[in-house]
Amino acid sequence: MSDKTTSYPKEKIKILLLENISETAIANIHQHGYASIKKVAGALDEEALIKELKDVHLLGIRSKTRVTRKVLENAPKLQAIGAFCIGVNQIDLTAATQQGVSVFNAPYSNTRSVAELVIGAAIMLIRRIPDKNNAAHAGIWQKDATGSFELRGKTIGLVGYGNIGSQVSVLAEAMGLKVIFYDVLTKLPLGNAVACKSLKEVVSKADIVSLHVPETNSTKNLISKQVIKQMKKGSILINYARGEVVDLDALAAALKAGDLSGAAIDVFPVEPEKNGEQFASPLQGLSNVLLTPHIGGSTLEAQENIGVDVSAKLLGYLEKGITYGSHTVPALSLPMLEGAHRILHIHKNVPGVLSEINTALSKAHINILGQYLSTNEHIGYVVLDVDKKLSKQAFSLLKEVKHTIRARMLY
């Protein structure tokens, strides 16, 4: 079977990559024959992004760039967005769905990096290394065991037991920790981990509390002043999840009062857009506190894995119409057919569209060699393989079907 290529010349496909996306991703895109790639070091604000996206087909971002409804409505050629990170909350998914723009991310690629750092932070805090480090830098010799403990035999409480939380669970148990966890969904415990029935149960029993939840309306200020009061006296809080999850003022007050003995915070409600910009937090200057600039998943291995994963998804969609892993376009992955041209059709999910597609092609005596449909709440995604000789006519007819959002001749 001969290789298929996109009907649109590869040299005319424009790709915009922001926020220092891994060279691994760029190399993968180049290897597939795409040369029109523009790289921007940092994030762009809304107006600048709209200007840059005028003729762009693929957009790659990380966590800082906000892709709003206004941005999407002013990007007529945009086919897909690759979020080279774990989350996609920086993208207006509803607007992307309505515009028929496929959104991909890498939900598993930096799991190990974050999990290792959580364990590392737990060791540093339970041994009070930040205090001893600061004293040594100030020329003070502070060799004593007061307030320093081993991890072994302690209890770590995981709030959220998804990809990262469960990985922390495995590493923590290997270190000799007892593991308890709470998740809003029923999760199968790994190893000897024990599920708790409530957030209160976890925070009241754990010597170390580590957060692994997404940013949603229900998780905003999840660790509130009230919840912090329920935490075990002298316990430690670690947040490598999302900045809005913890009430930092309440946490600072608890640390100052000695109710908690330490904290490691990597994510914040407001974060600078670029390196070198001013950063402020109520936790600055407090004893036994580790503050890091959102680097939980920032390892070379993680960035390479993310680069490979997301670039492969973008290229799979652009060249084959594959949408597995998309947050906006229904999932389809299908084989190629010899002797056929492939057309992608995204439409509003209302009754009668598929029937209209089939009727229009039937009336024109166009033979459908393969047809695949998947829908979500808002849109339908149809992939059609049609006779090569009639594909241009079929494409013209499909663009005129009522409720069409976008149609693309793939090859």
Side-chain angles (χ1 to χ4, degrees):
M1 181 174 177
S2 61
D3 291 336
K4 296 290 195 296
T5 58
T6 56
S7 59
Y8 199 69
K10 288 187 176 183
E11 63 271 15
K12 291 187 178 182
I13 298 290
K14 293 188 177 182
I15 301 168
L16 175 64
L17 302 177
L18 309 180
E19 303 183 67
N20 291 319
I21 285 169
S22 170
E23 288 296 326
T24 305
I26 297 169
N28 193 27
I29 294 169
H30 273 306
Q31 287 171 6
H32 279 74
Y34 300 93
S36 184
I37 303 172
K38 182 173 181 178
K39 298 179 287 183
V40 177
L44 297 178
D45 62 27
E46 186 176 67
E47 292 305 318
L49 186 56
I50 288 173
K51 184 178 179 181
E52 288 287 350
L53 283 178
K54 182 179 179 183
D55 295 313
V56 166
H57 300 87
L58 297 181
L59 170 65
I61 63 171
R62 292 176 71 185
S63 58
K64 297 297 182 186
T65 301
R66 300 288 167 179
V67 183
T68 63
R69 176 176 292 276
K70 184 178 178 181
V71 168
L72 289 161
E73 289 176 347
N74 286 277
K77 295 185 179 180
L78 189 63
Q79 299 290 336
I81 300 170
F84 287 76
C85 51
I86 294 295
V88 290
N89 55 296
Q90 71 276 42
I91 302 168
D92 188 329
L93 295 180
T94 300
T97 301
Q98 292 169 349
Q99 295 293 321
V101 175
S102 196
V103 175
F104 301 96
N105 69 326
Y108 314 115
S109 296
N110 68 4
T111 298
R112 180 71 181 198
S113 297
V114 178
E116 285 186 2
L117 198 54
V118 167
I119 298 298
I123 294 171
M124 294 295 102
L125 293 172
I126 205 166
R127 294 290 298 273
R128 300 199 70 89
I129 298 302
D131 286 336
K132 290 176 170 59
N133 176 67
N134 291 334
H137 276 285
I140 301 169
W141 194 252
Q142 200 175 73
K143 184 180 185 299
D144 66 78
T146 305
S148 297
F149 303 93
E150 293 182 357
L151 278 186
R152 183 177 54 178
K154 304 301 184 295
T155 298
I156 187 169
L158 305 175
V159 181
Y161 204 69
N163 301 317
I164 296 175
S166 58
Q167 183 74 194
V168 172
S169 176
V170 172
L171 296 179
E173 192 168 324
M175 294 290 295
L177 284 155
K178 299 174 183 176
V179 180
I180 60 176
F181 70 90
Y182 171 70
D183 198 295
V184 293
L185 300 175
T186 301
K187 297 291 180 68
L188 179 68
L190 301 179
N192 296 311
V194 176
C196 293
K197 294 181 180 180
S198 68
L199 175 61
K200 181 179 180 180
E201 184 181 356
V202 168
V203 301
S204 63
K205 291 181 177 180
D207 301 296
I208 302 161
V209 174
S210 186
L211 309 178
H212 304 284
V213 296
E215 183 178 312
T216 64
N217 290 334
S218 62
T219 62
K220 185 172 184 179
N221 280 340
L222 179 70
I223 307 303
S224 61
K225 182 178 180 179
Q226 180 182 2
V227 171
I228 290 173
K229 285 182 178 180
Q230 295 168 351
M231 291 178 68
K232 192 174 180 179
K233 178 77 172 179
S235 61
I236 289 165
L237 178 67
I238 299 175
N239 183 20
Y240 284 80
R242 289 290 180 263
E244 296 282 355
V245 174
V246 179
D247 182 335
L248 294 184
D249 290 321
L251 175 58
L255 290 163
K256 290 175 183 177
D259 297 329
L260 303 184
S261 67
I265 307 296
D266 184 55
V267 288
F268 303 88
V270 178
E271 298 179 358
E273 294 292 333
K274 299 177 181 178
N275 286 340
E277 290 186 358
Q278 188 64 37
F279 163 70
S281 170
L283 302 176
Q284 287 168 329
L286 296 184
S287 175
N288 206 40
V289 172
L290 288 169
L291 300 180
T292 48
H294 205 146
I295 47 84
S298 296
T299 62
L300 292 178
E301 294 92 341
Q303 293 309 307
E304 288 177 1
N305 290 338
I306 289 170
V308 170
D309 185 9
V310 179
S311 63
K313 289 173 180 174
L314 289 172
L315 293 169
Y317 179 59
L318 186 65
E319 297 184 347
K320 300 176 183 178
I322 296 171
T323 51
Y324 274 134
S326 174
H327 290 264
T328 51
V329 177
L332 279 179
S333 179
L334 31 120
M336 294 181 176
L337 290 181
E338 188 66 44
H341 280 176
R342 178 164 290 176
I343 302 172
L344 311 181
H345 188 273
I346 298 175
H347 56 269
K348 294 179 182 178
N349 186 13
V350 296
V353 176
L354 188 61
S355 176
E356 187 175 344
I357 288 173
N358 291 332
T359 298
L361 297 182
S362 177
K363 285 183 177 179
H365 304 289
I366 296 172
N367 188 29
I368 300 174
L369 303 177
Q371 185 181 76
Y372 312 83
L373 168 69
S374 187
T375 63
N376 61 27
E377 182 181 356
H378 301 287
I379 63 174
Y381 177 46
V382 180
V383 178
L384 297 109
D385 290 325
V386 300
D387 189 293
K388 282 183 177 181
K389 297 177 183 178
L390 301 171
S391 61
K392 288 185 179 180
Q393 183 184 0
F395 183 55
S396 296
L397 290 170
L398 288 174
K399 288 193 293 184
E400 300 303 318
V401 170
K402 192 177 180 181
H403 302 300
T404 296
I405 296 173
R406 64 172 67 214
R408 177 160 65 100
M409 174 79 79
L410 189 58
Y411 55 75

